[in-house]
DNA sequence: AACCTGCTCAACCGCGAGCGA
DNA sequence: TTCGCTCGCGGTTGAGCAGGT
């Protein structure tokens, strides 16, 4: 069948956007709203493909974007969400108002990833790198009635399957008394359990109030 | 001052999902 | 059910910049 190109590449600009192009795009979207990216460039008088317009708007021109450095709270939240969701940048971005998936992805790859590596934590598994990976992996499918009941999650409108690691036995020499938050390098986290000595359900960590079962995963949805 | 190296981040690319005909 | 199209996502690239030598 072959893949049709997203646009007629021979007649489109590429590379950095000019001020004039930005202005045209902003003016068009203010007047007509987002949507129909395919036809937008022609309608707005831009020699760009729709994809490029969409990306420029979402990642740079949108008025609700929060520019500037990430706060410690945002750092912490990104780490938690990544440990739960993996590289689902759009879902993670959905929990950080004013941040885009591209921005978070870049920030992860340039800052957080290195920070975790420096602490000896595998940024993929979020476990200490010298630890054997022989962990059972538990799959939670929100399409099952059991999971919905257990986690009080309604999956009716969220077809999201998450794979998270099983509760971790914190008995390695280096981490005998550390909670998961501390092992992630976020000792000041409100989820730090090793200093507070929380008991209850036998889950090693409590991402997003999973332990208490109050998180509505529908709120993870972006749109 | 010139060059090199590493870092940042905007932008591009390819693919899969979703939807309508 | 199949096909074609559009949109959105995640991975990757590369220009520009800063700091070091």
């Amino acid at each position: 069948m072959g893949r049709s190109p997203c646009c007629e590449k021979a007649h489109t600009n590429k590379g950095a956007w000019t001020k004039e192009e930005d202005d045209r795009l902003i003016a068009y979207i203010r007047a007509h709203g987002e949507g129909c990216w395919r036809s937008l460039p022609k309608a707005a008088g831009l020699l760009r493909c729709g994809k490029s317009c969409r990306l420029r708007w979402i990642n740079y021109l949108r008025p609700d974007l929060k520019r500037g450095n990430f706060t410690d709270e945002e750092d912490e939240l990104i780490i938690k969400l990544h440990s739960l969701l993996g590289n689902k940048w759009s879902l993670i971005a959905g929990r950080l108002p004013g941040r885009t998936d591209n921005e978070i992805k870049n920030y992860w790859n340039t800052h957080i990833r290195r920070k975790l590596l420096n602490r000896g934590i595998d940024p993929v598994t979020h476990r200490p790198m010298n630890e054997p990976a022989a962990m059972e992996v538990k799959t939670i499918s929100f399409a099952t009635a059991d999971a919905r009941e257990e986690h009080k999650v309604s999956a009716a409108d969220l077809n999201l399957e998450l794979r998270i690691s099983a509760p971790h036995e914190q008995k390695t020499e280096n981490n005998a008394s550390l909670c998961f938050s501390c092992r992630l390098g976020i000792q000041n986290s409100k989820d730090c359990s090793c200093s507070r000595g929380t008991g209850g359900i036998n889950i090693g960590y409590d991402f997003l109030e999973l332990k208490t079962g109050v998180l509505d995963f529908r709120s993870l949805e972006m749109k």
Side-chain angles (χ1 to χ4, degrees):
Chain A
M1 182 164 65
R3 213 183 148 69
S4 61
C6 74
C7 52
E8 181 50 66
K9 291 179 192 276
H11 300 102
T12 55
N13 291 340
K14 289 175 73 173
W17 280 64
T18 65
K19 180 78 170 58
E20 187 189 349
E21 286 177 313
D22 281 349
D23 290 342
R24 276 180 187 270
L25 182 57
I26 291 168
Y28 183 87
I29 291 177
R30 276 187 186 152
H32 301 93
E34 292 182 43
C36 201
W37 297 106
R38 172 85 170 178
S39 59
L40 185 148
K42 194 177 177 183
L46 288 163
L47 293 175
R48 293 276 180 174
C49 72
K51 254 183 167 180
S52 183
C53 294
R54 179 185 156 272
L55 217 58
R56 182 65 177 172
W57 173 256
I58 288 176
N59 288 332
Y60 202 81
L61 298 176
R62 244 170 48 196
D64 59 329
L65 288 182
K66 187 198 293 182
R67 315 294 302 180
N69 295 338
F70 282 76
T71 64
D72 289 343
E73 289 73 25
E74 286 175 316
D75 259 34
E76 187 179 319
L77 186 55
I78 290 168
I79 292 170
K80 282 189 201 175
L81 287 167
H82 185 274
S83 68
L84 179 63
L85 299 168
N87 294 356
K88 299 293 178 190
W89 305 115
S90 60
L91 283 175
I92 294 171
R95 304 286 293 182
L96 286 143
R99 301 295 188 185
T100 70
D101 53 355
N102 206 34
E103 192 178 13
I104 292 169
K105 179 172 58 182
N106 282 333
Y107 187 65
W108 175 270
N109 286 326
T110 57
H111 291 91
I112 300 179
R113 197 169 166 277
R114 193 178 311 134
K115 191 162 95 178
L116 293 181
L117 285 171
N118 286 341
R119 288 172 178 162
I121 295 166
D122 187 332
V124 177
T125 63
H126 292 260
R127 295 195 192 104
M129 288 193 287
N130 59 359
E131 182 176 287
M135 297 289 297
E136 179 191 358
V137 175
K138 179 181 180 181
T139 298
I140 296 176
S141 170
F142 291 105
T144 67
D146 285 348
R148 283 200 300 274
E149 177 61 28
E150 182 176 349
H151 298 287
K152 297 185 171 60
V153 170
S154 167
D157 56 354
L158 176 60
N159 185 22
L160 173 66
E161 183 173 277
L162 301 173
R163 290 170 66 80
I164 63 173
S165 300
H168 177 55
E169 292 291 336
Q170 316 220 351
K171 290 178 180 168
T172 57
E173 282 187 20
N174 293 340
N175 300 286
S177 59
L178 294 180
C179 70
F180 191 78
S181 291
C182 291
R183 288 165 55 219
L184 285 177
I186 46 178
Q187 288 86 344
N188 296 327
S189 166
K190 62 179 170 26
D191 295 318
C192 171
S193 58
C194 57
S195 60
R196 294 191 309 191
T198 55
I201 302 170
N202 186 22
I203 292 179
Y205 40 88
D206 186 18
F207 295 121
L208 309 167
E209 292 82 41
L210 268 177
K211 198 190 304 186
T212 49
V214 296
L215 177 70
D216 184 351
F217 278 82
R218 286 173 299 184
S219 63
L220 285 169
E221 203 172 31
M222 286 184 69
K223 4 186 186 344

